[in-house]
Amino acid sequence: MLKAVIRGGAPVLLWRAALVAVLLCGVGLLPWLSRTDPALTVLKARSAERAPTPEVLDAIRAQLGLDSGPLKLLGDWFGGLLHGDAGRSWISGAEVTPSVLQAIGVSLLLMGGSLAVAVLTAGAVCARTLRLGAGRRLDGRRPAGTGSALLSTLPDFLTASVLAAVVGVQLGWLPALGWYGPQWMVLPALSLGLPAGALLGRMLDDLLPGAFAEQWALAAAARGVPGRSIARQALRRCVPGLLPNFGLFVVGLTGGAVAVEQVFDIPGLGRLTLQAAVAQDLPVLQAGTLALVLLAAIAGGAARLTARLLIGPALRDGALLSLHRPTPPRPTTLPLLYGGLLLAVVALGLARDPLRLDTTARLQSPSWTHPFGTDGLGRDVLARVGHGALSTLALALAVSATALVLGVLLGLLPRVSGPLVDTVNAVPPVLAALLVTGVAGSGPSTPALAVTAVAWAPLAAHTSALLQQERATTHLTATRALGAGPLQLLRHELLPAVLPPVIRHALLRLPGVALALAALGFLGLGAQPPSPEWGLLLSENQPYAERAPWAVLAPASALALLGAVAVTGGGGVRWPGRPRRARRRETGETGETGETGETGETGETETKTKTKTEATTATRPGPPDPDRPIRAEGVTSDA
């Protein structure tokens, strides 16, 4: 067994090591890729007032060894790393290893608090489904409320600013700045954990109905097993499919918490890496990136190991059932309502001038003249929201569609995409943007390329997790035994089971993609003022959040409406013709009494010789007989 593990894991380990080496080399070559003078950047970081004379720059180059070239610097850094020496900071001259270890400790503590908040939030989102499933009352259940969709679209820096201003400054309940004890961790943990938990809760709520409709749940309910026990087992059945994304959240809450660490003045790893990237402090940047990659590998490995511990025997023996929804969701008017409201806001804004300045009307509250108020320059906020909708939504949709295609294609190749997902997810978005800018140059397409470079990773991880479980289902084993080829299995079995939940996941992330695109513009890597992109509006008006909250709430509400449209409209995403077949499989095609008390489908008739008596027997209500064989598309196997 050990030899088999080594043979199977050696190529993956080599692929992971190659990816890490390429990433670290790209980080080490960042100044030369971006065609900037590292000596000048280091001088500005050390002393912005000092004149960059040729003598001063030559002295810095000689001190740092820049004249020997980037390859020599990379070789020296890797050589020192083998002896436990990560070098010295180009800015402060201090050793890199202690500062990185201290930042890791702070980030891990913040990550732990954020994960606790995320788990509690996810539990609150799917609590209603668990309660209804335990009572066998899931018929006609609507997905989780719109509130969770709105919560999942909140930008972390906006949540952090509001909590710091209201709870920390105005109310004085908790400290708003610094990092000196447990009390200072509460507000940052809420800022990071609430959106992450809402997103995880929505994904879990999407899978739970399929678990409650599986044959084991129906049989347990018929035999009087308590509903709480069934709910716990349903939760255990669904969690493994989300664990890879949970591992991605762990790394994202560590290296991607840059904005929150900046708002609350937290000396974490994300902030340290960002500062090193801006100042081109390569030893610190390389060490911080390596720490994030190692953390991503550990989190990904722990998530996969936990998933195997939860459902390992079923995966090995091919004894799972598909987590398909038992019935198609009922049509709802919510997407039309939210979409109509968003279109109305955009239409009203397009009729106004987004660039007209009126310094006498700065930060005016909402009125008939300015329904959304004005910003710090006296511009109409409604006009800027309306004119920024077209570019923001079009680019966000294009990036989300590209990320979905890449995520699904790479997710179908888990051995290739697994290490790649861990490595890409470890790169903070700002650093990814800087690397893309260095390779592709600065331009209008730079934000789209940078966001696409990292946006596919969660979708690929979700695809791989669902694909692994779907390959271990009983109906797939039966179909394969009947002689179905790989392409037929992919087209008729795997893709219909995997694509709908992954598409719904992509729709959940659509508002976040729109915000990430505009946030890069704020960093000088994309759209620039006076562009009315929504994320840029949030960044511009953030300093006025306490005096003029409407200037921030307007673009945030537009993003929330976009998220509500995506979530409520995406709830009905299904594979064409799938619901009827999925329903047969989930009831075991025995026609047991389902969660609504009605008889199920009798199953597809592979031959035309099935008699009316057999059909009547198959649909007769009553508790399942453990000795009766189960029909699965013409194949009989013991229950």
Side-chain angles (χ1 to χ4, degrees):
M1 183 181 297
L2 182 60
K3 291 180 179 179
V5 171
I6 293 176
R7 283 197 303 268
V12 177
L13 185 61
L14 291 175
W15 173 231
R16 188 184 296 274
L19 290 173
V20 173
V22 169
L23 176 61
L24 293 177
C25 289
V27 170
L29 296 174
L30 182 60
W32 292 270
L33 291 174
S34 57
R35 293 173 291 277
T36 58
D37 186 0
L40 179 60
T41 308
V42 170
L43 175 62
K44 290 181 178 179
R46 288 179 177 179
S47 178
E49 296 81 9
R50 191 172 182 183
T53 62
E55 295 77 11
V56 173
L57 295 179
D58 289 339
I60 292 178
R61 294 189 186 98
Q63 178 188 2
L64 302 180
L66 296 176
D67 293 332
S68 58
L71 297 181
K72 179 67 166 55
L73 290 174
L74 274 175
D76 293 342
W77 186 81
F78 277 112
L81 192 65
L82 295 177
H83 299 89
D85 182 14
R88 290 182 173 273
S89 170
W90 287 1
I91 308 300
S92 64
E95 292 187 3
V96 171
T97 303
S99 60
V100 171
L101 291 178
Q102 182 180 1
I104 290 176
V106 172
S107 292
L108 290 179
L109 186 60
L110 177 59
M111 179 194 70
S114 303
L115 286 180
V117 174
V119 170
L120 292 176
T121 305
V125 170
C126 61
R128 177 173 172 269
T129 301
L130 287 172
R131 184 177 67 254
L132 294 178
R136 312 305 298 168
R137 292 181 285 113
L138 274 175
D139 183 47
R141 180 203 69 101
R142 292 184 176 180
T146 310
S148 61
L150 302 182
L151 187 60
S152 64
T153 61
L154 286 178
D156 52 6
F157 73 85
L158 176 61
T159 308
S161 301
V162 172
L163 289 177
V166 177
V167 179
V169 177
Q170 292 185 354
L171 300 178
W173 292 347
L174 292 168
L177 291 175
W179 188 261
Y180 305 103
Q183 291 181 341
W184 279 261
M185 189 177 67
V186 176
L187 294 183
L190 289 174
S191 303
L192 292 170
L194 287 176
L199 183 58
L200 284 174
R202 296 285 309 193
M203 295 169 62
L204 182 59
D205 189 77
D206 185 62
L207 294 176
L208 281 172
F212 280 112
E214 287 187 340
Q215 182 188 357
W216 63 266
L218 301 176
R223 285 168 173 77
V225 176
R228 291 183 178 180
S229 299
I230 299 176
R232 284 196 299 268
Q233 293 303 319
L235 192 63
R236 179 179 178 180
R237 173 70 178 89
C238 297
V239 164
L242 300 181
L243 281 176
N245 269 280
F246 190 80
L248 298 184
F249 274 111
V250 169
V251 184
L253 293 175
T254 306
V258 179
V260 173
E261 290 177 355
Q262 290 278 40
V263 171
F264 291 102
D265 194 23
I266 300 174
L269 187 58
R271 185 183 179 191
L272 178 69
T273 306
L274 173 63
Q275 293 175 346
V278 173
Q280 293 188 356
D281 191 354
L282 295 187
V284 178
L285 180 58
Q286 288 171 307
T289 304
L290 180 60
L292 288 173
V293 170
L294 293 177
L295 177 63
I298 293 173
R304 287 187 286 270
L305 178 61
T306 305
R308 286 191 173 274
L309 290 177
L310 288 175
I311 56 172
L315 285 175
R316 183 187 63 244
D317 300 334
L320 289 177
L321 293 176
S322 294
L323 282 176
H324 302 303
R325 291 186 176 186
T327 55
R330 291 182 176 180
T332 176
T333 59
L334 287 179
L336 298 177
L337 176 63
Y338 296 135
L341 185 58
L342 183 59
L343 287 177
V345 170
V346 172
L348 291 175
L350 289 176
R352 298 167 176 262
D353 185 2
L355 301 179
R356 182 176 179 274
L357 299 178
D358 186 2
T359 54
T360 61
R362 295 177 64 251
L363 302 178
Q364 283 190 355
S365 59
S367 61
W368 286 109
T369 306
H370 303 286
F372 285 0
T374 60
D375 63 6
L377 297 177
R379 295 173 296 190
D380 187 80
V381 176
L382 175 59
R384 296 185 62 75
V385 170
H387 283 266
L390 300 180
S391 58
T392 302
L393 296 181
L395 196 56
L397 286 172
V399 170
S400 298
T402 305
L404 175 62
V405 173
L406 289 176
V408 171
L409 292 178
L410 291 173
L412 295 177
L413 305 171
R415 286 184 174 271
V416 176
S417 64
L420 188 59
V421 166
D422 293 340
T423 306
V424 168
N425 189 69
V427 181
V430 176
L431 179 57
L434 292 174
L435 290 173
V436 171
T437 303
V439 175
S442 180
S445 62
T446 298
L449 291 175
V451 175
T452 305
V454 298
W456 62 269
L459 303 177
H462 197 189
T463 301
S464 297
L466 295 178
L467 187 68
Q468 183 186 33
Q469 295 192 37
E470 191 66 22
R471 283 174 172 168
T473 54
T474 54
H475 74 83
L476 193 72
T477 303
T479 307
R480 188 185 294 113
L482 291 174
L487 292 179
Q488 184 178 0
L489 291 175
L490 180 66
R491 169 65 180 83
H492 296 285
E493 305 296 338
L494 297 178
L495 287 181
V498 171
L499 274 184
V502 175
I503 293 175
R504 293 192 289 268
H505 182 190
L507 289 173
L508 278 174
R509 292 185 175 272
L510 178 60
V513 169
L515 182 65
L517 287 168
L520 293 181
F522 178 71
L523 297 173
L525 300 174
Q528 296 295 308
S531 171
E533 280 193 326
W534 289 351
L536 196 55
L537 296 184
L538 285 171
S539 302
E540 289 176 344
N541 296 318
Q542 181 187 351
Y544 311 109
E546 187 174 352
R547 295 174 53 194
W550 52 85
V552 176
L553 289 177
S557 300
L559 278 171
L561 277 177
L562 174 62
V565 173
V567 171
T568 55
V573 174
R574 301 189 65 85
W575 191 267
R578 188 69 177 175
R580 185 178 180 86
R581 298 175 62 195
R583 174 66 172 171
R584 293 190 184 104
R585 284 171 183 162
E586 286 153 0
T587 57
E589 296 199 311
T590 60
E592 318 297 354
T593 301
E595 59 195 12
T596 64
E598 298 174 357
T599 57
E601 301 287 346
T602 60
E604 295 184 21
T605 307
E606 298 295 334
T607 64
K608 300 298 182 180
T609 60
K610 192 166 188 178
T611 64
K612 181 178 179 181
T613 304
E614 292 173 333
T616 305
T617 303
T619 57
R620 181 180 299 131
D625 185 357
D627 298 326
R628 187 174 61 195
I630 299 173
R631 295 187 182 277
E633 297 194 304
V635 179
T636 302
S637 59
D638 290 338

